[in-house]
Amino acid sequence: MSLLVVGLSHRTAPVSVLERASLVGEEPAKLAQDTLVAEPATEAAVLATCNRIELYADVDKFHAGVAELSTLLAQHTGVDLDELTPYLYVHYEDRAVHHLFSVACGLDSMVVGEGQILGQIKDALALGQELHTAGRLLNDLFQQALRVGKRAHSETGIDKAGQSLVTFGLEQLAGGTTPVADWAAGRRALVIGAGSMSSLAATTLARAGVAELVIANRTLDRARRLAESLAGQSAGADAVAGAPREDGSAAGRPLIARAVPRDRVPDELPYADIVVSCTGATGLVLTADMLREALDRRAEQRAAGTAGPGAAETVALLDLAMPRDIDAAAHRIAGLRLVDIESLAEAAATVSDQPTTSAGPMAADVDQVRAIVSSEVSAFGAAQRAAHITPTVVALRTMAADVVAGEIARLDGRLPDLDERQRAEITQTVRRVVDKLLHAPTVRVKQLASTPGGAGYADALRELFDLDPQAVAAVSRADMNGTRPNGSGDTGRPGAAAVQNDPKRGRA
């Protein structure tokens, strides 16, 4: 079996396609389960974010696997296969490992270096474990990807090279030149949703100095917990308490944070200067009509003199959901400024194309992370190849132990007068001879198997010692279930199938 990933992301597909192909709610779970039903796959995991949909699988045939996974993605996203195919990418075995490790480090993110992807990879692994669609290979792969991502963030300055998507979006709303803390200070903010991205947005806005924060969520308890964790914090935690802002407000004032059910959003919208939305809704959360009505009510408040002192002339909208939460028509409504995934992708591409004074250190950090990824890919491949031969080695030692047991039983029949001490000494001597004969070749074959192209050593060992393939498979199953019998003579653990290079890799 071999690792295969088929997917699409902001790098290969326009946002309009990503939006239609997005997986929400129970859809990632259904995709993973249906992948296991397909013949080529024995394991499956789905990584679905606002700008990426990837299906990982352990397959026994490359071409059949690509065809099946591509078809499954089309079926579950609702995008016709002929339309979807030009945007798909395919990575196989070592390249698939390299891809996921790069994703985990933030190298493939819209905002290079962002760390939210680690939480999304962790969620994908947890879902695969819960559904039992992730087996030995994908468990090893995703857990190692998390470790590699953490290593990249702790050993390099990649965190400085990139921001979170939330921060980047707020910077775009602020105009790119005004610090977010100055732009957001004293304003009222409405965050729709209480998931990981919305929680990050709420925390970021609190630290930026908003005066009031309203969190609206379908599950009110979750919104309450988030609001309670932020309420009372000093507005603008990064600023010096009491220091004046550009709008005349002072940093360090206690933040007012409260929670409301999501159906109260139309009531809260007229009072919000900043709106961030990131839900799992399949339809629009904020329609054009809702936004126009909110603007009319804001105008009435200003005319009546009841608008707050920090009320902004333009309402800033940040849509981080996929599919979108906020009607794209907001781009054309006066009094609104909308930044969504599509405009963030365009802004990120513009930023990456422009040389800056900090480009040198950032490039150095990225290069350092790439070196980490390359070394980790090599180590992972070696470990998987070595693990692949372990069931064969265990089967060989089990066969040898059975031969010894059989010969000792035969000796008992020929020499029935042996006492227990003599019998034990003979048994131990024979076992030592067998162990010494097998030690060097089994250690050496593991070393050779861990090298590139070492997959054939397991087959050679089975042929040389005429090992029963079913016995080897039984060892693999027992090890995966944690039921390998004691006394097998080997402490290594079998893992994924050997890596076999396929020359026909690339885009689907």
Side-chain angles (χ1 to χ4, degrees), residues 64-407:
V66 171
E68 188 64 39
L69 267 58
S70 300
T71 300
L72 285 165
L73 280 171
Q75 291 174 348
H76 283 265
T77 60
V79 180
D80 185 79
L81 181 59
D82 290 338
E83 182 182 358
L84 188 65
T85 297
Y87 304 114
L88 294 178
Y89 47 80
V90 174
H91 297 295
Y92 190 51
E93 298 188 331
D94 280 357
R95 289 192 179 184
V97 177
H98 190 283
H99 174 74
L100 182 59
F101 286 5
S102 297
V103 169
C105 293
L107 292 178
D108 199 56
S109 296
M110 186 181 294
V111 180
V112 175
E114 60 92 9
Q116 283 68 50
I117 188 63
L118 283 174
Q120 293 160 337
I121 291 175
K122 185 177 180 181
D123 290 343
L125 173 59
L127 179 62
Q129 291 172 335
E130 178 184 346
L131 299 174
H132 302 290
T133 61
R136 169 60 55 80
L137 174 59
L138 293 184
N139 269 291
D140 286 354
L141 175 69
F142 275 70
Q143 288 173 3
Q144 187 61 26
L146 291 172
R147 286 190 284 267
V148 173
K150 291 174 183 177
R151 179 187 170 193
H153 285 283
S154 65
E155 294 183 12
T156 75
I158 192 71
D159 288 312
K160 299 176 183 176
Q163 316 133 298
S164 71
L165 202 59
V166 171
T167 304
F168 188 62
L170 292 175
E171 286 183 354
Q172 298 307 303
L173 287 172
T177 56
T178 303
V180 171
D182 291 336
W183 169 77
R187 298 192 179 191
R188 292 174 172 174
L190 170 64
V191 174
I192 307 174
S196 58
M197 191 69 78
S198 297
S199 298
L200 177 61
T203 302
T204 303
L205 287 166
R207 294 182 66 85
V210 294
E212 183 176 353
L213 180 62
V214 178
I215 300 165
N217 193 51
R218 185 174 55 185
T219 306
L220 185 57
D221 285 344
R222 191 167 184 176
R224 277 203 186 105
R225 287 195 297 270
L226 179 56
E228 288 169 0
S229 70
L230 298 172
Q233 291 187 12
S234 295
D238 291 331
V240 178
R245 301 278 195 179
E246 289 186 357
D247 67 348
S249 64
R253 292 176 179 172
L255 171 67
I256 299 171
R258 54 191 176 88
V260 298
R262 204 166 80 185
D263 58 13
R264 288 278 305 279
V265 166
D267 298 328
E268 298 292 340
L269 203 54
Y271 303 96
D273 304 306
I274 304 169
V275 180
V276 180
S277 187
C278 187
T279 74
T282 54
L284 292 175
V285 175
L286 298 181
T287 65
D289 288 342
M290 290 173 61
L291 293 168
R292 290 191 184 97
E293 183 179 347
L295 287 175
D296 290 343
R297 290 177 61 183
R298 286 175 71 87
E300 292 172 1
Q301 292 169 11
R302 283 196 296 271
T306 58
E313 291 293 326
T314 300
V315 178
L317 308 172
L318 178 58
D319 187 356
L320 298 174
M322 185 65 72
R324 68 176 66 245
D325 279 348
I326 303 176
D327 196 330
H331 284 295
R332 301 184 295 275
I333 298 176
L336 299 178
R337 172 165 167 72
L338 171 62
V339 169
D340 52 21
I341 293 294
E342 189 168 10
S343 51
L344 283 176
E346 294 172 357
T350 301
V351 169
S352 64
D353 290 340
Q354 292 179 346
T356 64
T357 56
S358 61
M362 177 177 174
D365 291 326
V366 169
D367 287 343
Q368 190 177 353
V369 172
R370 285 175 177 158
I372 289 174
V373 168
S374 295
S375 66
E376 291 284 359
V377 170
S378 297
F380 184 82
Q384 292 295 309
R385 288 188 291 269
H388 174 61
I389 202 169
T390 300
T392 304
V393 172
V394 173
L396 173 61
R397 289 188 173 275
T398 301
M399 183 191 74
D402 290 342
V403 170
V404 170
E407 290 301 319

